[in-house]
Amino acid sequence: MPHVVTQACCGDASCVFACPVNAIHPTPDEPDFGLAEMLYIDPVSCVDCGACVTACPVGAISAHDRLTAEQLPFVDINALFHETPRSYPAQAPVTPLVARTSTDRLRVAIVGSGPAALFAADELLKRPGVRVTVIDRLPTPHGLVRAGVAPDHPSTKTVEGLFRHIEEQPGFRYLLGVDVGVDVTHDELAAHHHAVVYATGASHDRRLGIPGEDLPGSTTATDFVAWYNGHPDHADRTFDLSGHRAVVIGNGNVALDVARVLATDPERLAGTDIADHALTALRASAVREIVLVGRRGAEHAAFTLPELVGLVERDDIDVEVHGDTLVVPAGTDVMTARKLDLLREAAARPRRPGARTIAFRFASSPQVIDADGDGRVAGVGLVRNDLVPDGGGVVRAVATRDVETVSAGLVLRSIGYRGVALPRLPFDAASATVPHASGRVDGMPGTYVAGWIKRGPSGFIGTNRSCAQETVDALVADANAGLLTEPAGASSEFRRLVGDRVAAAIDLRGWRAIDAAERAAGRTEGRPRRKIVQLDAMLEAASTSAASRRRRPRLVRR
């Protein structure tokens, strides 16, 4: 029987290289493997060898006859994708690094420790004679994989196994808890490394620009996600969950994650790595309905098909759809048509007693957020949109005069991320990215970017692989051409510099100690981990957990 990709996988493409018959491909509208929301196995070409199962770092592939009931819809999804023959570009070869002497190893600092940073480190370490120092202001790495992936998506987080492999390569070093721009400057990084790569992501959110946006009870989905995932910057946040209804502005995957977490029975989350404080708050939550607002129709919704499949297969959440007939327009691609079919089927199901509800409201835009007598969020004024084709294949949302107020005690906006300007680097405020050419920062030789700060907030975890590869290829080409300045200071001098300024910078051994402590605490409750969310407790875990094994983590101390 053929094998099947069963989730929105990491897009790492390891399975593609392992497949002997070229049976694994990305989505129809994204011919680049790095941009695909997931990959699909052609059931006709597949020879059932199982090489892809071993290669997949997140366990996303299974044999057809071993699928669970929840995974069965992916049989049709994989087959639907391959109805139309397609051709795909070949993967780019690795650019070799010109041999260097043992005393002249290429030293690269990478700022950030999320997927883009670690994929960049991996690409660099494929070349002999490279040393990489990954620096992050937080004491824990992995970026949005740790702080952004929903707790009820544990399979997506298994990409941490791939990250662990990258971290254990010779030449890799962490300096966590070090804030570039505060503890050390760009010039100091450049003085001690041949090159500096910034992979800092996009940590801010786009604004709605409507009255009432800053009322208490109105905030960002990003803040809410960071809160329930135990990000230390958000551990002390509180969210008002006392109302019957919450409104989420946006309908991408993050919006769907937030709605699903709010609609999930907390006991179903109790076996995940959700932060303890969030689980306690959700157990007391009165929210029974979550409204997802999208300005255009269902066919233009930004959430991916795998995320929708995961939602409609849930037996504890009802789905409603408003503002769209869900009729499949002529010429619609098969994947979008399947989205509409799933929404229509889910909306037609009988309501289940006691189930929470996620209500999709398409062709609507927020006009104002209303306040109650205490100055807190009371509801959202939604204007109905007419959907007008512009003649060029784009459908515009044109506001009408039809406005409806939807009562709500919590409003979360989820309409996109924005990058943040970095000290000393140029910044394009319109795109919220660093201007660059193939990852080379404009006007700053030896400085590079990767990930969202390079290309904007688009793509998926695996998208960062091809993005990082392009940047590293540019860096290696510059090194081979003699365009990188030799560092004035040694790597040992840089470590001493950091040690003079940071009380306890955490290296790989310290991170392993935090990770082990979290996993050990989780095992006692049947959970993958219990996250440590306070900075002091993280530093304590880094200091004492390894010491209990008579192997103290290396801390860079004064």
Side-chain angles (χ1 to χ4, degrees):
M1 300 294 287
H3 282 67
V4 180
V5 180
T6 62
Q7 65 186 58
C9 53
C10 70
D12 171 66
S14 298
C15 58
V16 176
F17 294 109
C19 179
V21 293
N22 193 31
I24 307 176
H25 303 291
T27 53
D29 55 341
E30 298 284 10
D32 183 349
F33 282 87
L35 300 178
E37 67 183 50
M38 67 177 284
L39 304 177
Y40 304 84
I41 298 176
D42 182 355
V44 176
S45 302
C46 178
V47 295
D48 201 27
C49 67
C52 55
V53 177
T54 304
C56 179
V58 297
I61 303 176
S62 180
H64 180 280
D65 56 357
R66 295 183 181 179
L67 299 176
T68 66
E70 292 77 13
Q71 293 172 333
L72 285 174
F74 286 93
V75 175
D76 290 339
I77 290 171
N78 280 254
L80 279 171
F81 169 74
H82 286 93
E83 282 186 346
T84 304
R86 300 176 176 88
S87 59
Y88 303 94
Q91 295 292 303
V94 172
T95 303
L97 178 67
V98 173
R100 306 171 73 88
T101 67
S102 59
T103 58
D104 187 31
R105 293 187 176 185
L106 187 71
R107 302 201 306 267
V108 181
I110 300 178
V111 183
S113 65
L118 292 177
F119 285 140
D122 190 35
E123 290 296 325
L124 283 162
L125 293 170
K126 288 177 180 177
R127 286 87 170 173
V130 179
R131 292 178 178 175
V132 172
T133 300
V134 175
I135 306 168
D136 199 295
R137 71 177 185 86
L138 294 177
T140 56
H142 301 173
L144 287 180
V145 170
R146 178 179 171 92
V149 175
D152 61 345
H153 280 8
S155 56
T156 305
K157 298 187 181 187
T158 57
V159 73
E160 290 178 334
L162 175 61
F163 293 164
R164 188 180 187 95
H165 171 74
I166 295 170
E167 293 164 348
E168 291 175 347
Q169 294 183 69
F172 183 97
R173 176 184 292 118
Y174 269 138
L175 281 177
L176 303 174
V178 178
D179 194 352
V180 174
V182 176
D183 299 319
V184 295
T185 67
H186 169 80
D187 290 343
E188 288 168 334
L189 288 178
H192 294 85
H193 300 86
H194 293 89
V196 182
V197 179
Y198 286 87
T200 52
S203 58
H204 284 195
D205 295 81
R206 293 175 57 195
R207 292 181 60 82
L208 295 167
I210 62 174
E213 184 172 8
D214 295 317
L215 287 172
S218 170
T219 185
T220 70
T222 302
D223 288 348
F224 191 72
V225 168
W227 171 75
Y228 66 58
N229 274 324
H231 191 295
D233 289 351
H234 299 267
D236 296 326
R237 288 288 303 271
T238 58
F239 295 87
D240 186 357
L241 305 179
S242 62
H244 172 79
R245 181 183 293 118
V247 172
V248 181
I249 309 299
N251 57 19
N253 282 349
V254 174
L256 211 61
D257 281 348
V258 167
R260 195 182 60 255
V261 168
L262 282 169
T264 295
D265 182 339
E267 299 317 308
R268 193 163 181 157
L269 296 170
T272 72
D273 67 351
I274 189 170
D276 289 352
H277 58 257
L279 183 60
T280 299
L282 289 168
R283 280 175 166 151
S285 171
V287 176
R288 308 299 299 179
E289 179 184 359
I290 302 92
V291 178
L292 279 171
V293 179
R295 64 187 180 89
R296 295 194 292 171
E299 65 179 294
H300 305 107
F303 54 76
T304 59
L305 180 57
E307 287 295 318
L308 183 60
V309 169
L311 172 62
V312 301
E313 289 296 312
R314 292 283 293 270
D315 59 6
D316 60 334
I317 299 175
D318 284 338
V319 173
E320 294 180 357
V321 178
H322 307 277
D324 196 299
T325 62
L326 302 179
V327 173
V328 180
T332 302
D333 67 81
V334 294
M335 310 307 281
T336 300
R338 185 60 183 140
K339 279 188 188 179
L340 298 177
D341 289 343
L342 283 173
L343 284 171
R344 185 170 55 252
E345 293 165 9
R349 291 188 306 218
R351 301 281 80 86
R352 289 164 285 196
R356 296 172 176 86
T357 300
I358 292 178
F360 292 89
R361 291 183 67 101
F362 295 108
S364 298
S365 296
Q367 188 180 61
V368 63
I369 299 177
D370 295 322
D372 61 15
D374 296 324
R376 300 186 59 83
V377 165
V380 183
L382 297 178
V383 60
R384 183 180 63 81
N385 296 326
D386 283 339
L387 303 181
V388 181
D390 68 355
V394 176
V395 174
R396 295 186 300 112
V398 180
T400 68
R401 295 180 180 272
D402 185 359
V403 179
E404 176 187 0
T405 297
V406 176
S407 62
L410 176 67
V411 176
L412 301 171
R413 70 176 184 269
S414 182
I415 57 172
Y417 297 94
R418 280 184 58 84
V420 180
L422 301 169
R424 292 271 288 112
L425 270 65
F427 189 70
D428 179 357
S431 64
T433 60
V434 171
H436 69 93
S438 299
R440 299 178 176 92
V441 175
D442 290 355
M444 296 186 67
T447 305
Y448 305 82
V449 283
W452 281 2
I453 195 63
K454 169 187 173 183
R455 68 180 190 274
S458 63
F460 306 88
I461 292 174
T463 311
N464 294 292
R465 169 69 81 182
S466 55
C467 178
Q469 182 176 348
E470 179 191 52
T471 296
V472 170
D473 282 348
L475 188 160
V476 170
D478 291 347
N480 289 342
L483 301 178
L484 301 183
T485 303
E486 288 296 313
S491 57
S492 58
E493 294 174 356
F494 180 70
R495 291 197 299 274
R496 284 195 295 271
L497 182 151
V498 171
D500 287 340
R501 299 177 185 176
V502 182
I506 297 173
D507 70 355
L508 177 58
R509 192 177 295 175
W511 157 233
R512 288 282 184 267
I514 295 172
D515 182 49
E518 291 183 337
R519 292 181 185 276
R523 279 195 296 271
T524 64
E525 299 181 2
R527 302 170 63 183
R529 69 170 73 234
R530 285 187 64 191
K531 287 182 177 176
I532 302 171
V533 301
Q534 299 293 344
L535 289 173
D536 288 347
M538 289 180 183
L539 295 175
E540 180 65 20
S543 298
T544 61
S545 292
S548 68
R549 301 193 306 271
R550 298 174 182 245
R551 198 175 174 193
R552 188 174 182 81
R554 296 173 184 170
L555 302 181
V556 181
R557 296 190 180 278
R558 290 180 180 171

